[in-house]
Amino acid sequence: GAVVSQHPSWVICKSGTSVKIECRSLDFQATTMFWYRQFPKQSLMLMATSNEGSKATYEQGVEKDKFLINHASLTLSTLTVTSAHPEDSSFYICSARGSHNEKLFFGSGTQLSVL
Amino acid sequence: EDKVVQSPLSLVVHEGDTVTLNCSYEVTNFRSLLWYKQEKKAPTFLFMLTSSGIEKKSGRLSSILDKKELFSILNITATQTGDSAVYLCAVVKTSYDKVIFGPGTSLSVIP
C-alpha cells in the first residue's frame, strides 16, 4: 500500500508554544489530506479536510485559528497547533488519498503532550 | 446528520473463537465502506466494499456489505491474540470530500 509519513511521532511542549506536525505522502500524490484527533479509547474525530492549493475545510467546533492547516503541495500537509494548552494534548493523525480514490492511507500519528 | 454506528463497542473472546463485528450507517450519497484495524498507532486498511452481497476475504477475515439494509459485517474466524485491536468502520461519500468513522469495536482475544 501507499506510504504516508507523519512527523514527529511524539512531542512534549510547554503551554503557550506552537507545534507543527507534518504529513507527507511518499509514493503518491495526495490531492486530499485529512487531519484527525483521537482521545484514548475513542474513535477518530475528523478535524479538517485539506485539498492541495486551497483552504482547509474545518469541522464544526474546530477552531481554524488554533489549528492551522497548510496543504501547499501534493505531497505535504502541515497542522500547526498554535498556543497549545494542556487540553490540546491528544493523538493527532493524518491520512491521505489520491484523486478519486476512496482508500485512505494513514500516517503513524503524533502524540502531543502539552505541559 | 451522517452517522456510522458500530457494535459491540468492545468484545472479549478466547483464541479460536469466531467473531462478527457490525457496522451500520445513515449517510447521504454513500459511495463505499472501509474497514480498518488499529493497534497502537496508524489504522491499517482491511477492506473496501462498494457493492452489496459480494464477500471480500483475506485469510481469516471476511466482510460483506448490504446497501439495502445499510450495514456491513466483519468476520474473524479462529481468532488469535494478534487480532486484538480496535476495528474501525468508515463510510466514504460520493463527493470524496468526507470520510466518516464509526466509534470502533475494541476486540481483545485472550489465550
Side-chain angles (χ1 to χ4, degrees):
Chain A
V3 178
V4 175
S5 171
Q6 187 172 342
H7 179 81
S9 299
W10 57 271
V11 60
I12 301 173
C13 68
K14 291 183 179 179
S15 188
T17 60
S18 294
V19 175
K20 181 186 277 189
I21 302 169
E22 289 189 353
C23 181
R24 292 180 185 272
S25 57
L26 298 185
D27 53 0
F28 70 103
Q29 293 185 326
T31 50
T32 306
M33 286 188 172
F34 300 91
W35 286 94
Y36 294 89
R37 184 173 180 176
Q38 188 175 35
F39 291 104
K41 299 190 185 299
Q42 293 188 26
S43 189
L44 301 169
M45 184 190 79
L46 179 64
M47 298 175 66
T49 303
S50 74
N51 293 294
E52 185 264 341
S54 60
K55 288 185 180 179
T57 302
Y58 289 81
E59 294 300 300
Q60 195 172 8
V62 179
E63 298 175 58
K64 61 181 179 183
D65 294 331
K66 181 164 185 64
F67 299 99
L68 300 178
I69 290 171
N70 185 285
H71 191 165
S73 78
L74 284 171
T75 58
L76 174 65
S77 176
T78 60
L79 167 68
T80 302
V81 183
T82 61
S83 187
H85 288 98
E87 57 266 31
D88 298 324
S89 299
S90 187
F91 186 66
Y92 293 87
I93 191 164
C94 72
S95 67
R97 67 162 181 239
S99 176
H100 293 283
N101 186 344
E102 291 98 314
K103 288 185 195 177
L104 290 182
F105 298 98
F106 285 87
S108 54
T110 298
Q111 182 64 53
L112 171 63
S113 296
V114 184
L115 305 178
Chain B
E1 185 185 339
D2 294 328
K3 191 165 58 171
V4 179
V5 177
Q6 290 185 249
S7 65
L9 293 180
S10 73
L11 187 58
V12 180
V13 300
H14 286 96
E15 268 192 315
D17 287 351
T18 293
V19 298
T20 299
L21 309 183
N22 303 291
C23 175
S24 63
Y25 59 92
E26 292 177 26
V27 172
T28 56
N29 304 315
F30 171 91
R31 178 171 183 87
S32 61
L33 187 143
L34 311 172
W35 282 99
Y36 286 87
K37 176 183 181 182
Q38 185 178 26
E39 295 177 82
K40 289 185 179 175
K41 290 189 175 179
T44 52
F45 173 80
L46 295 176
F47 298 110
M48 180 173 75
L49 303 157
T50 53
S51 302
S52 279
I54 299 173
E55 185 184 47
K56 293 277 183 99
K57 209 167 163 59
S58 176
R60 295 176 294 103
L61 277 67
S62 64
S63 184
I64 198 161
L65 173 69
D66 186 327
K67 289 167 74 172
K68 185 180 175 188
E69 300 298 329
L70 309 183
F71 78 91
S72 173
I73 59 171
L74 175 68
N75 273 325
I76 309 175
T77 59
T79 51
Q80 301 171 358
T81 54
D83 296 326
S84 297
V86 174
Y87 290 84
L88 297 166
C89 166
V91 171
V92 182
K93 301 183 70 159
T94 52
S95 55
Y96 297 100
D97 64 354
K98 192 171 276 195
V99 179
I100 304 155
F101 278 85
T105 293
S106 176
L107 173 65
S108 297
V109 181
I110 54 178

